[in-house]
Amino acid sequence: MAKYNISLDDLTPNNLQVLRRINSVVLPLPYSDAWYKESLTVGPLVKLAFFNEIPVGAIRCSLVVPQKHNVGESKIYIMTLAVLAPYRRYGIGKQLVDYIINDVVKLEEMAFVKEVYCHVWVENTDALEWYVKTAGFEKGEVVPGYYKKMDPPGDAVVLRKRV
C-alpha cells in the first residue's frame, strides 16, 4: 500500500506564488495582485496544503464582523478553496476546511465566530455536493449574478456551517 503525507503550512512571501498558481489552475476567475498581497496579512485564515511535500491545495478566508450597530454574529468566509484535480480524493479539501472549523475558530481572537460560509457557483455541482456530503455544510439561498466577471454572470449558492 502506497504511503502519503498530507500537511498544511503557512503562507509566506516565499510561497505566495504557490497560492497564485493553484488558484489560477483550479478556479474559474482570477484574483488581483492586491488580493494576493492581502493574503499575506490574514494569518491563520490562509493555509497551503502539501501532498508528499508537493503543493496541491489552498484555502483563503476572511473574518466577517458585523458593523457596530448591526445585530449579528461574526463569521468566517471561505473566499477560495482549491485542490488540484489529481489530488481531490485524498481528503485534502476536507483537511483544509476542518483546519478552519476546528483550529482557527478555537483561537482566542476567533472565539466569537459562530458560522463558516462560502459561495459556490450553481453550475459547480461537484463542489456543491462535496460541501454538503463531505464537509457538512447546508445549502442556503441562491444569489443571482453573484459572479459578475463571468460571461454571462453566474449565480451562486450560499453554503453555511454552524461552529
Side-chain angles (χ1 to χ4, degrees):
M1 182 172 166
K3 286 194 169 197
Y4 57 89
N5 179 41
I6 298 169
S7 60
L8 303 183
D9 201 3
D10 296 335
L11 185 68
T12 69
N14 290 337
N15 61 21
L16 181 62
Q17 292 306 317
V18 171
L19 175 64
R20 183 185 299 269
R21 182 69 180 141
I22 289 169
N23 283 351
S24 72
V25 169
V26 176
L27 303 175
L29 298 172
Y31 289 83
S32 69
D33 289 341
W35 187 88
Y36 285 102
K37 186 176 179 181
E38 179 188 334
S39 296
L40 290 168
T41 69
V42 297
L45 293 171
V46 61
K47 279 290 183 194
L48 297 175
F50 294 82
F51 180 93
N52 290 340
E53 299 185 20
I54 299 167
V56 298
I59 192 166
R60 163 67 156 86
C61 302
S62 65
L63 180 62
V64 179
V65 179
Q67 296 299 320
K68 208 175 198 179
H69 300 291
N70 290 348
V71 175
E73 300 172 333
S74 295
K75 303 172 184 179
I76 291 178
Y77 177 61
I78 299 174
M79 300 174 87
T80 63
L81 173 62
V83 176
L84 298 176
Y87 300 92
R88 289 192 185 146
R89 301 285 180 221
Y90 293 97
I92 296 165
K94 178 88 165 68
Q95 191 167 339
L96 286 163
V97 169
D98 285 350
Y99 158 76
I100 296 297
I101 290 170
N102 298 326
D103 296 336
V104 173
V105 170
K106 289 188 173 89
L107 295 173
E108 185 176 331
E109 64 269 25
M110 301 289 176
F112 49 86
V113 170
K114 302 299 179 200
E115 180 179 274
V116 175
Y117 76 106
C118 64
H119 290 88
V120 175
W121 181 37
V122 294
E123 302 293 327
N124 191 345
T125 56
D126 289 342
L128 290 169
E129 182 178 331
W130 181 86
Y131 270 104
V132 171
K133 289 185 177 176
T134 303
F137 282 64
E138 293 181 7
K139 284 185 184 178
E141 67 275 11
V142 172
V143 181
Y146 178 81
Y147 294 105
K148 293 174 181 20
K149 292 183 180 179
M150 292 178 123
D151 188 22
D155 299 345
V157 176
V158 178
L159 294 130
R160 294 182 168 85
K161 184 167 185 170
R162 298 291 294 172
V163 294

